[in-house]
Amino acid sequence: MLKNILKNKGKIVLGLILMTILIAIRAFESRWFYDPFLNYFKNDYLTNSLPIYNPIKLFFSMGFRYYLNSMISLALLYLLFKDSKIVKFSTLLYIVLGSTLMIAFFFTLKFFGENKMALFYIRRFIIQPIFLILFIPAFYYQKKVK
């Protein structure tokens, strides 16, 4: 076990750096990204009305954050599996899922703003690296089955 850790210390350090970047994105989200829904969802959002927001600024901020999380997640997937097919497939999934979620978020915001729980969960999938948490065990299982 110790030999295995020493053999892969570069991978471990790089993985820890990438994880630290994901944590930093989360820790400094209020400083680095425009998102009036951060404080809104931290408070009593079920009884309050939606905050005032700039839709274009919100779209680009959420899109940029999703892009950052996706790039770091893809790097982690490559680091873990060393398989370009997994990274290509994951890239396609990130593009399709990200586009679908962004459209769903703004559609829900525009036409179903009263459905605050839907907004909360769609936004959560956009701003958090949840897909990474789903992809790692899925690809690990797929590799083990093969």
Side-chain angles (χ1 to χ4, degrees):
M1 172 93 172
L2 185 58
K3 284 183 183 181
N4 219 4
I5 291 173
L6 292 174
K7 180 181 164 190
N8 294 313
K9 65 183 173 187
K11 276 177 84 171
I12 293 170
V13 169
L14 186 56
L16 288 173
I17 290 169
L18 291 170
M19 296 288 286
T20 303
I21 295 170
L22 284 174
I23 292 168
I25 289 172
R26 171 75 171 157
F28 298 108
E29 64 188 351
S30 61
R31 293 184 204 162
W32 293 352
F33 306 102
Y34 171 76
D35 191 354
F37 292 96
L38 280 173
N39 288 329
Y40 175 72
F41 283 120
K42 286 180 183 174
N43 297 319
D44 188 21
Y45 62 91
L46 292 174
T47 58
N48 294 338
S49 60
L50 292 174
I52 298 171
Y53 62 94
N54 180 337
I56 295 171
K57 199 173 176 181
L58 181 63
F59 174 79
F60 283 109
S61 179
M62 289 178 72
F64 181 64
R65 184 169 177 183
Y66 182 81
Y67 174 77
L68 284 176
N69 284 335
S70 299
M71 292 298 108
I72 296 164
S73 298
L74 288 170
L76 272 168
L77 287 171
Y78 183 75
L79 187 68
L80 288 172
F81 298 106
K82 294 287 188 203
D83 188 348
S84 62
K85 289 180 183 178
I86 286 177
V87 175
K88 287 177 185 176
F89 181 67
S90 298
T91 301
L92 177 67
L93 282 176
Y94 273 114
I95 290 169
V96 170
L97 294 170
S99 301
T100 304
L101 286 169
M102 290 293 278
I103 291 168
F105 179 77
F106 284 97
F107 185 82
T108 304
L109 194 58
K110 177 77 174 164
F111 298 108
F112 304 104
E114 295 79 30
N115 192 348
K116 296 171 183 174
M117 292 306 294
L119 282 174
F120 176 82
Y121 288 114
I122 294 170
R123 183 181 153 278
R124 181 68 54 208
F125 271 94
I126 295 171
I127 67 171
Q128 301 299 329
I130 294 172
F131 294 125
L132 178 66
I133 297 168
L134 297 173
F135 290 169
I136 289 174
F139 292 136
Y140 178 77
Y141 178 75
Q142 180 184 14
K143 283 239 181 225
K144 284 294 179 190
V145 168
K146 276 187 176 179

